Amino acid sequence: QVQLVESGGGSVQAGGSLRLSCAASGYTYSSYCMGWFRQAPGKEREGVAAIDSDGSTSYADSVKGRFTISKDNAKNTLYLQMNSLKPEDTAMYYCAAAGYIRSSRRLLKDDYNYWGQGTQVTVSS
C-alpha cells in the first residue's frame, strides 16, 4: 500500500525558510513522478513543484527562484526547500505521487494517484 507522510510545516515570518519532507513507502519510489501541491482556504489545490524519475523538475511561476524540489532515492524521501517565503505561500502543502505523467502535466493534480495528509505552512507579514 502506497503511503506518503509529510512533515516540516510550521509558522514563519515573511522572508524566512522552511524545508518540507515527504517520506514514501509501499512502491518503487525512484520510478515515480513526485509533486508538491498546496491548497489555501477557499482556493483550488495547485501544483507547486514536481520532480520526475529522471530528475527533471517543474515549478509554478509563483515559486520559481524561491523553492527547490529534490529527492533522495536511497531514503525514499522527497523535499521542498522554501526560501524567501511570502504570506501568499500560506497553505496546506501536500505530497503526491504518480506512475507516469507527461512533463507538461506535472503540476496538474488530476494526474496524481497517491496523496499524503498534508502539512500546514503559515507565513506572517
Side-chain angles (χ1 to χ4, degrees), residues 3-78:
Q3 190 171 19
L4 302 172
V5 180
E6 302 97 332
S7 61
S11 296
V12 65
Q13 288 194 326
S17 299
L18 283 173
R19 188 176 82 154
L20 306 183
S21 299
C22 172
S25 62
Y27 65 102
T28 308
Y29 173 81
S30 61
S31 65
Y32 274 59
C33 180
M34 303 291 296
W36 285 101
F37 291 76
R38 66 187 181 187
Q39 187 167 17
K43 294 190 176 181
E44 288 279 323
R45 189 171 298 189
E46 62 176 358
V48 174
I51 185 165
D52 218 326
S53 57
D54 63 359
S56 55
T57 57
S58 301
Y59 292 94
D61 288 343
S62 59
V63 306
K64 280 181 182 176
R66 301 188 298 122
F67 290 11
T68 303
I69 189 170
S70 62
K71 61 178 182 173
D72 185 332
N73 288 339
K75 296 182 178 180
N76 283 6
T77 302
L78 178 73

Side-chain angles (χ1 to χ4, degrees), residues 39 49 69 71 75 86 93 101 104 111 113 122:
Q39 187 167 17
I69 189 170
K71 61 178 182 173
K75 296 182 178 180
K86 304 176 181 180
Y93 282 70
I101 295 181
S104 59
D111 287 22
N113 311 105
T122 302

